Amino acid sequence: MSFSDSETNSFHSSDHKFFRQISRDRLLNEMLASSKTEDSKAWKVLIMDKVTVKVMSHSCKMADITDQGVSLVEELFKRRQPLPSMDAIYFIQPSKENVVMILSDMSGREPLYRKAFIFFSAPVAKELVNHLKCDMSIIPRIGALREMNMEYFPIDNQAFVTDQESALMEFFGQDPAENSRMYNASLNMMATRIATVFASLKEFPFVRYRSVRDESTATARDYLPSKLAAAIWETVQKYKSIPNYPQTETCELLILDRSVDQIAPVIHEWTYDAMCHDLLEMDGNKCTLEVPNKISGELEKKECLLEDHDPIWLELRNSHIADASERLHEKMTNFASKNKAAQMQRKGDGEISTRDLQKIVQALPQYGEVVEKLSLHVEIAGRINRIIRDTGLRDLGQLEQDLVFGDAAAKDVIGFLRKNSDATPENKLRLLMIYAIVYPEKFEGDKADKLMQLAKLSPEDMKVVNNMRILGGSSSSNVKKSSGSVFSLKFDDQKTKNQAARKDRSGEEEETWQLFRFFPVVEELIENLNKGELPKNEYACMNQAAAAPTTNSGSVRSNAGPVAPPERKVPAHSKRSRRTATWAKGHSSDDGTSSDSVLRRASMDFKNLGQRIFVFIIGGATRSELRACHKLTTKLRREIVLGSTSLDDPPQYITKLKLLTEKELLVPGPRF
């Protein structure tokens, strides 16, 4: 069987392509375009199953697919019209049911299509290939039979998910021994999908994982990262037989689970991106707004897609919401002052010369497009700022971060709850979750009940706080049976004398915004991994017999010793201090006609990036962790790719945490 992959590892390419771009190029060029043969130049049908249609939709748009000669997209298990004069491209999972459907389509005297170009999303078993070949009538009709090894779902230029929304409940809710079949099936699916990332990118990883610290008290959940690491390692070892697949390590993979940082999923993250998904009602990346009609002035619904194709979104998504708001305002102001059509529109009186009219006509298309896009973002930012103001979110956010950095204590939390009794139940619950992580002793015995009464939360809400112990290592059955037992979370390794959950990181490179001090644990772990300073007793490596590095990143490794990342000279860390800056400050901006700052960042020299770092979090990742990966890619000169079972915003995460002790799982849908 031939294998469809690029001839060279993208890491060695002179023009660096980011993770999502490589995924898109492979689907379009190596799969769809490769089916164009001399006797097959007509329009084609693309047939996918429920999983691969998600893979495709996360990387490509319909226009991209059409450009490759596909006129019709069909679902494998739906009734389809026979098109015997057209070729079909099958992009499917390697399952027996799917192979049987292909045989049904293509065998016999009257097949549905002229030829079948078959591409599997993951490694296919020999038995399935033999099953295809058992019908002699189908063999001449197969134009291609290849493994694409693409069964992951890109959600960002540097992020993917395995689309396992219930992973947190499956792996941390019920004890694995009670449901081993589901546990093993989910783990194997996760490992397979992660492994296809490395096959697709032609990367062979150092597989590192968060190891068990105390085996005498460890639960089955504590072994989850090591089990996943072993399953991935076993799979990628088999990829060495793939043509052009590297035989030595080319990247780093660090496997964690959600227990590594329970603060990141619930603390208010103050970036434009996080605020949109946390505070607004969004459908995936689609935001629906009511804006005045340009002519009538009546309110009408407008949909805004917050995605990579929007340069303004790309520029501002990781900016503090106050910074983003200021820059949007400056863009509108500068555009109006510099754009001729906008100036004429503002004057609205006086006779217009022919020359001025010509300039207006020339500028109007750009004027309408830019202003509409800017206006939508201004409306979104304005709505977020109104919610922040109306809910008193700044004071809450300040208290949250003060707790994390050890600048607030019990009296501050109690004072806030008494003073802000009208705060939303969700915001009070999130505050108590952070409080419980930093001060677990404050939830021992009946103390939790008193806090619940003070916050006016229901027992159902407080179940979420109680369920955090499960992520900390307690048995789900013990949590259900003894809600009054000692509240204990495994965060002692992160605390300083003043009981902070994060250490103060002084010596920052640039000024910080108020409420922008927080950083996820993942950020620190990636920096330590880059320097080769991850504690070996806490983060083990599967590559025990692998080569040891001899030079800087990108070097060839020899078989001289144990695994360790190369020592690298990197710039000083970007630190966060305790200093609180003002809520608003000046910021340079372009005139709004283009996102110049995005282009400047995009033009950064990526030709000499070091080895990729992949971080995978079992149980859901957060937008603050995605922001950290974007930031560190620029800082460390290495592409950081974040992977997880899902990308969760705080409301989703809280719902999942509540379900840890429920028997029937009603999982909220993904919001990419």
Side-chain angles (χ1 to χ4, degrees):
M1 184 186 340
S2 60
F3 188 90
S4 177
D5 255 325
S6 54
E7 291 300 315
T8 58
N9 184 353
S10 62
F11 167 74
H12 299 292
S13 173
S14 59
D15 295 319
H16 183 89
K17 289 185 178 181
F18 279 90
F19 165 73
R20 191 182 214 170
Q21 186 180 359
I22 293 173
S23 302
R24 176 183 177 275
D25 289 351
R26 291 200 62 231
L27 288 170
L28 296 178
N29 300 327
E30 296 180 20
M31 186 175 76
L32 299 184
S34 68
S35 63
K36 294 179 181 178
T37 59
E38 291 184 2
D39 61 339
S40 177
K41 296 181 180 179
W43 290 99
K44 296 181 177 60
V45 182
L46 174 61
I47 302 167
M48 297 177 284
D49 57 36
K50 290 183 177 179
V51 170
T52 53
V53 74
K54 283 187 177 182
V55 173
M56 180 68 75
S57 64
H58 277 77
S59 295
C60 306
K61 293 192 174 294
M62 193 62 210
D64 300 327
I65 298 171
T66 304
D67 288 344
Q68 296 299 327
V70 174
S71 62
L72 185 62
V73 177
E74 299 263 38
E75 190 175 319
L76 181 64
F77 283 94
K78 287 186 177 179
R79 185 183 295 274
R80 286 169 276 123
Q81 178 185 355
L83 298 168
S85 63
M86 296 179 69
D87 292 342
I89 301 171
Y90 288 86
F91 180 37
I92 56 173
Q93 288 184 289
S95 67
K96 185 175 181 180
E97 295 80 7
N98 288 354
V99 169
V100 168
M101 281 300 299
I102 293 176
L103 287 171
S104 175
D105 289 349
M106 300 303 299
S107 62
R109 293 185 177 182
E110 297 182 354
L112 290 186
Y113 310 105
R114 193 172 72 94
K115 273 195 172 184
F117 294 82
I118 305 170
F119 298 89
F120 291 108
S121 60
V124 58
K126 289 183 179 179
E127 295 77 17
L128 293 180
V129 177
N130 293 334
H131 193 49
L132 271 174
K133 293 179 178 179
C134 68
D135 189 332
M136 297 302 295
S137 67
I138 199 175
I139 295 179
R141 298 167 184 163
I142 297 178
L145 187 63
R146 300 178 184 173
E147 293 173 345
M148 281 299 291
N149 277 321
M150 288 192 66
E151 203 169 296
Y152 53 88
F153 309 87
I155 57 171
D156 182 87
N157 278 338
Q158 295 171 232
F160 70 94
V161 294
T162 56
D163 195 29
Q164 294 172 285
E165 287 290 330
S166 60
L168 189 71
M169 292 77 78
E170 289 177 0
F171 293 115
F172 291 92
Q174 300 296 326
D175 291 326
E178 298 175 13
N179 203 351
S180 59
R181 181 176 295 181
M182 179 183 291
Y183 179 93
N184 291 329
S186 296
L187 189 67
N188 290 334
M189 177 190 293
M190 194 187 308
T192 298
R193 291 181 175 177
I194 296 169
T196 64
V197 171
F198 297 103
S200 184
L201 271 64
K202 288 289 185 70
E203 295 274 24
F204 183 50
F206 281 100
V207 182
R208 305 180 191 280
Y209 59 92
R210 191 186 190 202
S211 54
V212 177
R213 298 186 185 183
D214 186 355
E215 295 191 359
S216 62
T217 59
T219 65
R221 299 175 188 85
D222 294 318
Y223 291 94
L224 187 55
S226 62
K227 288 183 178 180
L228 178 60
I232 294 172
W233 176 249
E234 182 180 356
T235 305
V236 297
Q237 283 283 75
K238 297 175 183 177
Y239 287 152
K240 286 188 173 183
S241 61
I242 295 173
N244 303 312
Y245 191 78
Q247 302 300 301
T248 57
E249 289 79 1
T250 62
C251 65
E252 310 267 8
L253 168 63
L254 178 61
I255 299 173
L256 310 167
D257 63 56
R258 191 61 270 166
S259 67
V260 75
D261 187 355
Q262 290 199 52
I263 295 177
V266 295
I267 193 170
H268 282 90
E269 167 77 356
W270 289 81
T271 62
Y272 185 35
D273 180 11
M275 287 274 110
C276 285
H277 289 87
D278 191 356
L279 302 183
L280 303 180
E281 290 291 332
M282 294 189 61
D283 180 12
N285 287 331
K286 183 171 67 177
C287 181
T288 304
L289 303 168
E290 286 190 347
V291 296
N293 183 278
K294 294 179 181 178
I295 300 174
S296 66
E298 295 180 359
L299 292 178
E300 61 180 9
K301 288 189 176 180
K302 280 271 189 180
E303 290 183 352
C304 183
L305 286 176
L306 305 179
E307 56 184 9
D308 295 350
H309 299 281
D310 181 352
I312 298 175
W313 171 252
L314 275 182
E315 177 185 350
L316 300 179
R317 62 179 179 177
N318 289 326
S319 300
H320 190 286
I321 181 61
D323 186 20
S325 300
E326 279 198 354
R327 289 158 75 176
L328 284 169
H329 178 74
E330 289 174 11
K331 284 176 183 293
M332 289 290 275
T333 303
N334 292 338
F335 179 83
S337 65
K338 294 180 181 180
N339 186 281
K340 189 70 177 177
Q343 290 174 10
M344 293 299 176
Q345 192 85 354
R346 291 172 66 188
K347 286 179 181 178
D349 55 5
E351 192 173 347
I352 303 176
S353 68
T354 304
R355 184 176 181 83
D356 287 338
L357 185 61
Q358 183 183 23
K359 290 180 179 179
I360 292 175
V361 172
Q362 291 172 345
L364 272 176
Q366 182 191 33
Y367 173 56
E369 180 184 349
V370 171
V371 168
E372 182 175 8
K373 188 167 290 185
L374 276 174
S375 296
L376 286 173
H377 281 286
V378 168
E379 179 66 27
I380 292 172
R383 183 179 295 188
I384 291 172
N385 284 316
R386 286 193 296 272
I387 294 173
I388 292 172
R389 183 182 62 250
D390 295 344
T391 57
L393 205 55
R394 292 180 193 174
D395 292 337
L396 174 61
Q398 186 66 61
L399 179 55
E400 287 176 347
Q401 301 216 7
D402 285 346
L403 278 172
V404 170
F405 285 97
D407 295 333
K411 63 177 183 179
D412 300 293
V413 175
I414 294 171
F416 178 88
L417 293 174
R418 285 176 176 167
K419 182 181 177 182
N420 299 275
S421 58
D422 58 341
T424 65
E426 181 188 303
N427 283 341
K428 289 188 284 190
L429 176 59
R430 288 164 69 171
L431 175 63
L432 288 183
M433 292 171 75
I434 296 170
Y435 184 40
I437 293 167
V438 182
Y439 294 94
E441 71 277 5
K442 300 297 183 181
F443 286 75
E444 295 175 4
D446 63 349
K447 294 179 182 178
D449 294 332
K450 292 180 179 178
L451 282 168
M452 179 185 73
Q453 293 170 8
L454 178 61
K456 298 179 181 178
L457 294 177
S458 67
E460 190 72 14
D461 289 329
M462 288 303 293
K463 183 193 293 184
V464 177
V465 181
N466 202 42
N467 283 355
M468 287 194 298
R469 290 188 296 173
I470 300 175
L471 289 185
S474 299
S475 166
S476 59
S477 58
N478 289 341
V479 169
K480 285 186 281 187
K481 290 177 183 177
S482 60
S483 59
S485 60
V486 175
F487 192 95
S488 178
L489 291 170
K490 295 183 179 179
F491 285 90
D492 295 338
D493 61 306
Q494 298 174 359
K495 295 182 180 179
T496 57
K497 290 182 179 179
N498 60 349
Q499 206 149 342
R502 293 289 187 280
K503 295 178 181 179
D504 183 17
R505 307 178 78 185
S506 57
E508 59 183 305
E509 292 178 352
E510 59 184 38
E511 291 185 27
T512 186
W513 284 81
Q514 182 183 6
L515 308 179
F516 218 24
R517 292 185 293 161
F518 176 78
F519 61 91
V521 169
V522 163
E523 182 174 331
E524 204 162 35
L525 291 176
I526 293 172
E527 289 180 333
N528 289 337
L529 175 61
N530 178 68
K531 295 186 295 182
E533 295 179 359
L534 272 184
K536 293 183 179 179
N537 61 324
E538 297 178 20
Y539 296 92
C541 184
M542 295 297 301
N543 312 50
Q544 295 301 323
T550 56
T551 59
N552 287 342
S553 62
S555 61
V556 177
R557 303 173 186 268
S558 65
N559 297 322
V563 175
E567 293 293 334
R568 301 175 180 86
K569 292 183 179 180
V570 296
H573 291 301
S574 174
K575 306 289 186 179
R576 299 189 188 278
S577 71
R578 294 180 182 276
R579 178 184 56 77
T580 300
T582 56
W583 175 253
K585 65 178 180 180
H587 197 291
S588 59
S589 175
D590 55 52
D591 62 3
T593 59
S594 65
S595 291
D596 290 341
S597 54
V598 175
L599 297 177
R600 283 195 294 271
R601 286 199 294 269
S603 65
M604 187 177 77
D605 180 17
F606 284 119
K607 293 184 178 181
N608 298 310
L609 281 184
Q611 295 180 334
R612 286 186 176 98
I613 296 177
F614 295 83
V615 180
F616 190 86
I617 304 174
I618 307 168
T622 71
R623 296 186 189 275
S624 63
E625 288 158 344
L626 181 56
R627 170 173 63 89
C629 291
H630 290 151
K631 168 188 168 183
L632 292 178
T633 294
T634 302
K635 176 183 174 182
L636 303 180
R637 306 289 303 160
R638 303 178 70 178
E639 182 183 357
I640 316 296
V641 179
L642 177 66
S644 185
T645 47
S646 59
L647 182 67
D648 294 335
D649 297 307
Q652 280 179 290
Y653 177 75
I654 290 172
T655 300
K656 292 180 179 182
L657 204 55
K658 189 179 294 185
L659 291 172
L660 286 186
T661 50
E662 299 292 334
K663 291 184 178 180
E664 295 183 6
L665 303 181
L666 301 174
V667 185
R671 294 174 63 190
F672 303 134

